[in-house]
Amino acid sequence: MHRVKLMLFAYLAAIGAILVATAVGVAIAPVVERDPQTYYEAYWNTIQTFDPCKAYDTVSSKMVEQCVEALYEYDGFDPNFGIVPALAAAMPEVSDDGLTYTIRLRPNVRYPARWSDGTWIEPWRDVPRHVRAEDFVFAFKRLADFHNASNLYASVMQDKVAGAAAFRAETESRDPQSWCYDDLDLAGVRALDDLTLEIRLERPFPQFIYMLIHACTSPMPVEYYRHYAVDVPTAKARAAGTIGPDDVLHNRRVMRWRVMGTGPYRLDDYQRERHVKFSRNPMYRGHPEVDGHPNGMGGAHPSLAPEAIMPFSVERQVYLFSRESLPRWYNFTLGAYDKIWFIPVDKFGEAVDRGNVSERYARRGMRSITTPRPTLETCDLDMRDP
């Protein structure tokens, strides 16, 4: 019995020592080194793809949207989820029958000339390449390509865009390595000129403008895709050791880890399960009529002060991946992150008091933000199962 008591006291003493050491460690933990012009955020899951036409999950789409723009976007100042033009110059002109959308593009929107490491984007190098209507046509074709197997095709194009089903069926009958659509028209999407895009629907669908917010409809220049996606030697050519222009296959997977667009940031570095880093796109022109004028106190929202306007105040973004909730929380409390999404269950009572941030954390400048997360839930029943 005496021996049991000694073992119990030793066990409790060890636990107490660990708790004290943990408390002291947290109390005296060094401040995490941070770049004042960098935004840090922790994520619970990693990225599946950077390809806009396949970025379907929450994390992938969030990362892709740092780098690309679509024709329209939500107005961040409108609680009713209003829509404003992004790469479009204005809201679409819709025909009386609701079937034809004519969209004028912003002029002089330029793609980046270099990757973040300073190397040229080869298809155009230092020759300015501006957004053209044909880039959207190619993006829609990629979305409808059967072999790309985009999860977004059904919601954006199927039974909506004229000719989408015929285009998809034709690509299905072709060699999976065949990617060139020069001889194949998508009847419902046309470039009338460099700055005018026309989209025709199979039937009236007033919600279609919301489809034009998706990153999967962001423009992609065909020469960019041609250069970076066709670079995988055939097995026969690799074995022979001689690789010529006819010994290279089209590989859609190359686009999985590469992204280029006209958005506010560009991809700097991605290490799976660790982090993704972005830096400000020097070609990004901003949205003065939406964000407020870059010099402050202007635009459609004059209440914005200069320091409140993004992305001018944020030069870089770093997203760190951590699957475990408690390490994310502890790193957040040490100042490693500007934001985390979820409070661990074990720490909720410590962090939240009557619906607000507890005084302990409020004194450190922390605040909570609640946002609506609209979802659709389906319940499928197998009626063949007795």
Side-chain angles (χ1 to χ4, degrees):
M1 186 68 181
H2 181 67
R3 184 179 178 183
V4 172
K5 286 184 177 179
L6 287 177
M7 291 177 64
L8 179 59
F9 284 130
Y11 175 76
L12 293 175
I15 294 296
I18 292 172
L19 292 175
V20 170
T22 302
V24 172
V26 171
I28 66 173
V31 176
V32 177
E33 289 190 13
R34 292 170 47 99
D35 175 8
Q37 290 185 306
T38 299
Y39 171 79
Y40 299 86
E41 187 172 332
Y43 260 85
W44 63 95
N45 205 353
T46 190
I47 299 169
Q48 303 302 313
T49 180
F50 283 103
D51 188 338
C53 92
K54 302 187 77 170
Y56 180 73
D57 62 286
T58 302
V59 180
S60 297
S61 58
K62 167 70 178 288
M63 302 305 157
V64 168
E65 287 167 2
Q66 307 301 316
C67 302
V68 305
E69 294 178 285
L71 289 162
Y72 299 96
E73 63 184 30
Y74 286 111
D75 183 349
F77 297 92
D78 186 350
N80 297 315
F81 303 102
I83 292 175
V84 293
L87 289 177
M91 301 304 284
E93 302 166 14
V94 184
S95 60
D96 292 340
D97 60 8
L99 296 179
T100 303
Y101 286 62
T102 304
I103 301 168
R104 316 291 176 182
L105 304 182
R106 292 178 186 268
N108 302 318
V109 178
R110 184 177 174 182
Y111 293 106
R114 296 177 183 265
W115 298 111
S116 59
D117 62 3
T119 57
W120 293 110
I121 295 180
E122 289 298 333
W124 45 80
R125 291 185 68 83
D126 59 344
V127 178
R129 175 58 162 90
H130 297 94
V131 173
R132 301 196 290 258
E134 65 189 45
D135 303 339
F136 291 94
V137 176
F138 185 69
F140 273 94
K141 287 182 175 182
R142 286 197 69 234
L143 187 60
D145 184 343
F146 173 84
H147 296 295
N148 274 337
S150 172
N151 288 321
L152 293 154
Y153 166 76
S155 60
V156 175
M157 296 186 69
Q158 188 175 23
D159 300 326
K160 302 178 185 70
V161 177
F167 183 94
R168 190 172 181 83
E170 176 61 27
T171 59
E172 182 178 6
S173 67
R174 296 189 176 196
D175 187 314
Q177 301 299 338
S178 175
W179 64 274
C180 186
Y181 313 124
D182 290 349
D183 64 331
L184 184 58
D185 288 331
L186 176 56
V189 185
R190 294 194 303 155
L192 302 184
D193 56 47
D194 281 353
L195 294 176
T196 309
L197 178 70
E198 181 187 87
I199 302 176
R200 290 187 297 108
L201 305 183
E202 292 184 350
R203 56 185 175 82
F205 185 64
Q207 299 88 348
F208 184 69
I209 190 169
Y210 291 94
M211 306 300 104
L212 303 179
I213 293 174
H214 283 289
C216 64
T217 63
S218 62
M220 180 173 288
V222 64
E223 67 270 33
Y224 162 82
Y225 190 71
R226 187 191 304 265
H227 180 88
Y228 288 106
V230 185
D231 66 350
V232 182
T234 63
K236 181 179 178 181
R238 283 199 301 268
T242 56
I243 301 173
D246 297 328
D247 300 319
V248 179
L249 295 178
H250 171 68
N251 185 1
R252 293 173 174 83
R253 290 179 63 85
V254 173
M255 307 310 294
R256 183 179 181 184
W257 306 122
R258 183 184 293 276
V259 62
M260 183 278 305
T262 61
Y265 294 94
R266 57 185 181 180
L267 178 64
D268 281 352
D269 181 42
Y270 171 60
Q271 295 186 26
R272 192 172 178 83
E273 301 288 348
R274 295 188 64 187
H275 65 244
V276 59
K277 298 180 178 180
F278 300 98
S279 62
R280 190 161 64 86
N281 175 10
M283 296 294 182
Y284 182 64
R285 75 233 166 266
H287 288 305
E289 74 280 15
V290 176
D291 302 330
H293 194 274
N295 295 326
M297 312 311 287
H301 302 281
S303 60
L304 284 181
E307 64 273 12
I309 297 169
M310 294 179 66
F312 306 102
S313 59
V314 180
E315 292 291 324
R316 288 163 290 277
Q317 296 190 67
V318 175
Y319 295 87
L320 300 111
F321 301 113
S322 174
R323 294 189 183 275
E324 300 298 327
S325 59
L326 282 175
R328 282 203 308 271
W329 173 254
Y330 286 128
N331 280 309
F332 172 66
T333 60
L334 290 174
Y337 311 137
D338 292 299
K339 174 183 175 181
I340 60 171
W341 282 85
F342 305 111
I343 301 171
V345 174
D346 295 346
K347 296 295 178 181
F348 196 87
E350 173 187 309
V352 177
D353 180 18
R354 288 173 290 185
N356 298 312
V357 175
S358 65
E359 184 179 351
R360 170 183 177 181
Y361 290 111
R363 286 198 303 266
R364 296 174 57 185
M366 297 182 186
R367 61 193 181 100
S368 66
I369 301 173
T370 56
T371 58
R373 301 187 68 181
T375 61
L376 286 176
E377 295 186 5
T378 62
C379 179
D380 300 316
L381 304 177
D382 183 359
M383 304 306 292
R384 298 168 299 182
D385 185 343

